[in-house]
Amino acid sequence: MSHTINDDDVDIVIAAIRPDLTTFMEEWRIIFSRFHLIIIKDPDLEKDLQIPPGFNHDVYTKLDIERVVGPAASASLSFSGYLCRYFGCLVSRKKYIVSVDDDCVPAKDDKGHLVDVVAQHITNLRVPATPFFFNTLYDPYRPGADFVRGYPFSLRNGVECALSCGLWLNVADYDAPTQIVKPQNRNSRYVDAVLTVPVGVMMPLSGINVGFKREVVGPVMFPGFRLSGEGKKRCETLEDIWSGMCAKVVCDHLGLGVKSGLPYVWRGIGEENDAMESLKREWEGVKLMEEVVPFFQSVRLPRTAVTAEQCVLEMAGMVKQRLGPLDPVFERAANAMVEWVKLWKAIGSGSS
Amino acid sequence: MSHTINDDDVDIVIAAIRPDLTTFMEEWRIIFSRFHLIIIKDPDLEKDLQIPPGFNHDVYTKLDIERVVGPAASASLSFSGYLCRYFGCLVSRKKYIVSVDDDCVPAKDDKGHLVDVVAQHITNLRVPATPFFFNTLYDPYRPGADFVRGYPFSLRNGVECALSCGLWLNVADYDAPTQIVKPQNRNSRYVDAVLTVPVGVMMPLSGINVGFKREVVGPVMFPGFRLSGEGKKRCETLEDIWSGMCAKVVCDHLGLGVKSGLPYVWRGIGEENDAMESLKREWEGVKLMEEVVPFFQSVRLPRTAVTAEQCVLEMAGMVKQRLGPLDPVFERAANAMVEWVKLWKAIGSGSS
C-alpha cells in the first residue's frame, strides 16, 4: 500500500548515536529517500556526522536542542543518547513519524522481499485496531483475513490506531543481563502477523522501530527516563519502555489502538560485543521494572482527562506520588513529563 | 518435542458429525495412530460409522451417552451435533485431551513439513504461559526467543498453561454471515507463532482444533449452549465460543494460561457449499454475542472459588441472573453448567 502514502505526511526521525551514518543511510536509501528526514545528533557526540548526499534532511545538534528547549526545560529533560530522538517529535509538523535506530538496516520478509518499514507502519496506523476483543487470526482487516466466529459485530469497525510497534530480526531487543547471558542468541523467526495489543494489557514498547501519529502520541513520547548507569547501548536503556507504557495507558484511556508485529528491521550493524564491560555494571532496570509494570497496570485516568496532554499530566502526578519515594529516577521522570507537556504545547503541537 | 510425549497421557477426542471417517482417519494416521482415540458419534446420526482398521479407539453412541449421563442430566445437557464431543471429556482419564473436527486434515508448515498437531498442543501445554505482561516476540520460551527488554524478571517463570487453541489454514473459522458474504475467502497465511492471550482478555476459542489439560479444563468444557436454529455446520454454532469464554475466565481467575496460535490444521474436506440454505436463516449468534462478550468481560469470581468446578457454579449463577432474562438460551446454558459440574464430579473427575 506504499503508493498511497503522501510523502508530505511522514517524517523519518533518526537518532544519530554514531557519527558515521553512511552505511545506515545507503541501506535505507530506497525506502527513506522520498521522505523528509529529521536527524538528531546525540548531544554527547563530538565528531561531525557523516551523511551521504541525496536525502531531504535536517540535522539538529546540541545547539539546536538548547536553543529550542531552553534552559528551564533542559534541567528536567535529558536528550542524551537515545533520548535525543524525542527532539524530532518537537520539530516535526507531519502527521506520521517513523523512527528506526541507527544500527538497523532493512529486513527481508519470509519470501525474500525487502520490507518497506514505512509502508507497513503507515498501513498499521491507517487500518483500524481491535483492542476490545482478541481476534485469533490476528489482523482481521488484512487481505484474506476476517473476524473469527464469535467476534461481536458491534466491535468489527475497530478503533483508530495511534501507535505501531515493529520488531527485529537478527539481534533481538533484549536487556543487558539477557544480552550478556545469551550473546549469540539471534532472532531468525519472521512472524507474518500484526496484532492489536488488547486494552488494559501492558507491553514493552521498543523504540528501535516504531511508527505513530504525531499529534496523538507526541505528547507521550517524552525523554527523561534515564537510568543512572546507562550507557550508549540499547540494552542498557529503558526510556522507550517507559514512554511506551505511558503511551499504552493513554491510548487505552482515549480509546485508541496500539499494534505490535510487522514490520521487521534487521538489527545489529555496528554492534560491539562488549559484554564483558556490561558485566561489570549492575543493570538498574532489573529492579525498576518490578515497580514500573504494576504501576502502569494499575493506572486509571479520570474521565476529565480527554487529551493526551491532560493524561500525561495526570500520570506525572501519580508517578510522583506513588513511585517517587522509591527511587529518584521516578521523581525525575515525573518532572520530565510535566516539562515535556509544556514544551509540546509551546513548540510541538503545531501542525503543518 | 513429540518424542517426549507419553502415549498414555493423551486422548484424541473426535466428534463424528459425518458417518464416514475413512478419509479423515487415514489422513491423520501418521499422527494419531500411537494414541488412544475417543470417537463420539453424533446422536442424531443414523448411519453406522466407518472407521478404518489399525487404530486404538473406543466409539461412544447415543446409547452410551444416555446410559452414562442418565435421564435427569439429559434434560439439561444436549450432546447433539458438535456438542457430542464433550462426552469425550467425561469418559477420558488422561492428562491431556486433543480434539480436532472431522472435516480437518493435517496442515503443512511454511517449510512444507507436516504439522504434528498433538506434539504442538502438548508443547504449548507443557511450556509456561505469560498472561501478565505481553511479550512482543511471542512465546519467550521458544528456542531462539526470550523475554524482550523491559519484561519484569519476576514474571519470567510464567504460569502453568491449561488450554491451547490452534488455528486453521484453508477454510477459516468464520460465522454464518461471514461465510455467506465471503464464501471463497481462504486463509493461506501460516503465522509461525504461539502467544499467551493476556489475563482479562476475552477471545473466541474455536473448538475445531484444541488441546487442554483435562483435569483443569474439563469442568468448563460443557455442552449445552445450543442455538435454536443451529444446524450441523460449525459456522452456525457457538457452543465452543461459550465454553471457551468460560474457560478463559476460569483460567484467568485460577492463574492459569491460555495460548493461541500454532498448531494449524487444514480445514475443509467434505465441506458443502450450501450458503443459499444458510441465507434463509437468521443467525441468532449475531445478536447473542453482543450480550455474551460484555458479560464475560465483566465477570469477577469470588476468592472463595478455588477450583474450576466452583468457578463454573459461580458463573452459572451469574449467567442465570444477568443473562437469563434476555434469552432462553442463557437460562438453558446456566442449567447445563450446573448439571455438567454434577456429572463431572460423579463421572469425569477421575484420573487414570
Side-chain angles (χ1 to χ4, degrees):
Chain A
M1 297 178 64
S2 64
H3 60 283
T4 65
I5 304 175
N6 183 344
D7 299 357
D8 292 337
D9 280 348
V10 181
D11 267 332
I12 311 287
V13 170
I14 310 293
I17 309 299
R18 297 155 192 80
D20 188 354
L21 292 176
T22 310
T23 307
F24 172 78
M25 293 189 64
E26 290 301 347
E27 290 274 359
W28 285 106
R29 183 180 292 276
I30 191 169
I31 294 166
F32 285 173
S33 59
R34 46 183 283 223
F35 300 105
H36 178 249
L37 274 66
I38 294 175
I39 299 171
I40 306 105
K41 185 184 175 188
D42 176 2
D44 302 341
L45 207 59
E46 297 195 351
K47 283 188 192 170
D48 286 342
L49 291 191
Q50 293 178 47
I51 299 170
F55 289 92
N56 170 19
H57 70 280
D58 288 307
V59 173
Y60 296 89
T61 64
K62 189 176 180 181
L63 281 176
D64 299 304
I65 295 173
E66 287 172 349
R67 181 177 47 81
V68 170
V69 173
S74 291
S76 303
L77 295 171
S78 165
F79 289 90
S80 172
Y82 282 105
L83 293 168
C84 72
R85 182 169 53 109
Y86 295 97
F87 187 75
C89 287
L90 279 189
V91 293
S92 171
R93 288 295 172 270
K94 301 294 175 67
K95 183 170 184 183
Y96 302 110
I97 285 182
V98 171
S99 185
V100 174
D101 274 5
D102 67 350
D103 58 351
C104 298
V105 298
K108 287 183 175 171
D109 69 16
D110 50 354
K111 291 174 188 67
H113 301 133
L114 192 77
V115 172
D116 185 337
V117 74
V118 181
Q120 183 68 51
H121 276 306
I122 303 302
T123 297
N124 292 352
L125 293 169
R126 284 183 177 172
V127 170
T130 54
F132 303 119
F133 196 64
F134 184 83
N135 194 51
T136 52
L137 275 192
Y138 312 98
D139 178 3
Y141 305 104
R142 235 180 136 175
D146 210 313
F147 290 94
V148 168
R149 180 169 52 96
Y151 207 102
F153 277 76
S154 63
L155 296 178
R156 295 192 186 195
N157 285 333
V159 301
E160 182 184 351
C161 180
L163 178 54
S164 165
C165 174
L167 296 173
W168 344 271
L169 290 169
N170 196 35
V171 181
D173 187 11
Y174 297 137
D175 50 56
T178 306
Q179 194 66 45
I180 292 160
V181 172
K182 297 181 169 182
Q184 304 305 327
N185 216 24
R186 292 292 179 268
N187 182 36
S188 59
R189 191 171 295 117
Y190 184 90
V191 175
D192 187 14
V194 178
L195 54 91
T196 297
V197 184
V199 65
V201 174
M202 289 297 120
M203 32 87 79
L205 181 133
S206 166
I208 291 172
N209 164 22
V210 290
F212 56 89
K213 289 185 175 156
R214 185 185 60 87
E215 292 183 53
V216 180
V217 177
V220 193
M221 283 292 171
F222 78 100
F225 195 80
R226 188 173 156 78
L227 306 184
S228 45
E230 180 174 318
K232 297 285 178 188
K233 292 171 68 182
R234 253 289 177 228
C235 67
E236 297 172 345
T237 68
L238 278 181
E239 49 84 15
D240 50 346
I241 307 290
W242 176 277
S243 55
M245 268 192 262
C246 290
K248 184 64 170 63
V249 167
V250 170
C251 286
D252 283 353
H253 178 74
L254 298 178
L256 301 167
V258 174
K259 292 182 186 173
S260 177
L262 304 182
Y264 281 89
V265 294
W266 182 270
R267 186 163 178 253
I269 57 164
E271 183 216 25
E272 296 102 58
N273 204 338
D274 49 1
M276 282 311 290
E277 190 199 329
S278 291
L279 264 174
K280 295 176 196 155
R281 291 196 286 266
E282 182 204 352
W283 190 59
E284 212 184 344
V286 171
K287 189 186 64 169
L288 293 178
M289 289 312 290
E290 301 299 329
E291 309 290 348
V292 167
V293 170
F295 168 76
F296 282 109
Q297 285 174 334
S298 70
V299 166
R300 297 291 173 271
L301 295 172
R303 281 172 191 273
T304 48
V306 294
T307 65
E309 290 89 334
Q310 290 168 340
C311 292
V312 174
L313 291 179
E314 289 285 346
M315 263 192 293
M318 298 181 199
V319 169
K320 186 165 282 196
Q321 190 189 357
R322 289 170 51 192
L323 296 178
L326 302 177
D327 196 294
V329 73
F330 296 124
E331 177 85 20
R332 287 197 300 269
N335 293 336
M337 291 163 85
V338 174
E339 280 304 325
W340 180 256
V341 171
K342 277 188 210 164
L343 263 184
W344 179 262
K345 286 181 177 171
I347 300 161
S349 60
S351 58
S352 52
Chain B
M1 297 178 63
S2 63
H3 61 282
T4 64
I5 304 175
N6 183 345
D7 299 356
D8 292 337
D9 279 347
V10 181
D11 268 332
I12 311 286
V13 170
I14 310 294
I17 309 299
R18 297 154 193 80
D20 188 354
L21 291 175
T22 310
T23 306
F24 172 78
M25 295 189 62
E26 290 301 349
E27 292 273 359
W28 285 106
R29 184 180 290 276
I30 191 169
I31 294 166
F32 284 173
S33 59
R34 47 183 283 222
F35 300 106
H36 177 249
L37 273 64
I38 294 176
I39 300 172
I40 307 105
K41 186 185 173 187
D42 176 3
D44 302 340
L45 206 58
E46 297 195 349
K47 284 188 190 168
D48 286 344
L49 291 190
Q50 293 179 47
I51 298 170
F55 288 93
N56 171 20
H57 70 281
D58 288 307
V59 174
Y60 297 90
T61 64
K62 190 177 179 179
L63 282 174
D64 299 305
I65 295 173
E66 287 172 351
R67 180 176 47 79
V68 169
V69 173
S74 291
S76 302
L77 294 171
S78 165
F79 288 92
S80 172
Y82 282 104
L83 293 168
C84 72
R85 182 168 55 111
Y86 295 96
F87 188 75
C89 286
L90 278 188
V91 294
S92 172
R93 289 294 171 270
K94 302 295 175 64
K95 183 170 183 183
Y96 302 110
I97 285 183
V98 172
S99 185
V100 173
D101 274 6
D102 66 351
D103 59 351
C104 298
V105 298
K108 288 183 175 169
D109 69 15
D110 50 353
K111 291 175 188 68
H113 300 133
L114 192 76
V115 172
D116 186 337
V117 73
V118 181
Q120 183 68 51
H121 276 306
I122 303 302
T123 297
N124 292 351
L125 293 168
R126 283 183 177 171
V127 170
T130 52
F132 303 119
F133 197 65
F134 185 84
N135 194 51
T136 53
L137 275 193
Y138 312 99
D139 178 3
Y141 304 105
R142 239 181 132 173
D146 210 311
F147 290 94
V148 168
R149 180 169 52 95
Y151 209 102
F153 277 77
S154 63
L155 296 178
R156 296 193 185 194
N157 286 332
V159 301
E160 182 184 351
C161 181
L163 177 55
S164 164
C165 175
L167 295 173
W168 342 272
L169 290 169
N170 197 33
V171 181
D173 188 10
Y174 297 137
D175 50 56
T178 306
Q179 195 66 45
I180 292 161
V181 172
K182 297 181 169 183
Q184 304 306 327
N185 217 24
R186 292 291 179 269
N187 183 34
S188 59
R189 191 172 296 116
Y190 184 91
V191 175
D192 188 14
V194 178
L195 54 92
T196 297
V197 184
V199 65
V201 174
M202 290 297 121
M203 33 85 80
L205 181 132
S206 167
I208 291 172
N209 165 22
V210 290
F212 55 90
K213 289 185 175 156
R214 186 185 59 87
E215 293 184 52
V216 180
V217 177
V220 193
M221 284 290 171
F222 78 100
F225 195 79
R226 187 172 155 79
L227 306 185
S228 45
E230 180 174 317
K232 296 287 178 187
K233 292 172 68 181
R234 253 290 177 229
C235 67
E236 297 172 344
T237 68
L238 279 180
E239 49 85 14
D240 51 346
I241 306 291
W242 177 276
S243 56
M245 267 190 265
C246 291
K248 184 64 170 61
V249 168
V250 170
C251 286
D252 283 353
H253 179 73
L254 298 178
L256 301 166
V258 174
K259 292 181 186 173
S260 178
L262 304 182
Y264 281 89
V265 294
W266 181 269
R267 185 164 177 254
I269 56 164
E271 184 217 25
E272 295 101 59
N273 202 337
D274 49 1
M276 282 311 290
E277 192 199 327
S278 291
L279 264 176
K280 296 177 197 154
R281 291 196 286 265
E282 182 204 351
W283 190 58
E284 212 183 345
V286 171
K287 189 185 63 169
L288 294 177
M289 290 311 290
E290 301 299 328
E291 309 291 346
V292 167
V293 170
F295 168 76
F296 282 109
Q297 284 174 332
S298 69
V299 165
R300 295 292 173 272
L301 295 171
R303 281 173 192 273
T304 49
V306 295
T307 67
E309 290 89 334
Q310 291 168 339
C311 291
V312 174
L313 291 179
E314 290 284 348
M315 260 192 295
M318 297 181 199
V319 169
K320 186 167 282 196
Q321 190 188 355
R322 289 169 51 192
L323 295 178
L326 302 177
D327 195 295
V329 72
F330 296 125
E331 177 86 20
R332 288 198 300 270
N335 292 336
M337 290 163 86
V338 174
E339 281 303 324
W340 180 256
V341 171
K342 278 189 208 161
L343 263 183
W344 179 262
K345 285 180 176 170
I347 300 162
S349 60
S351 58
S352 54

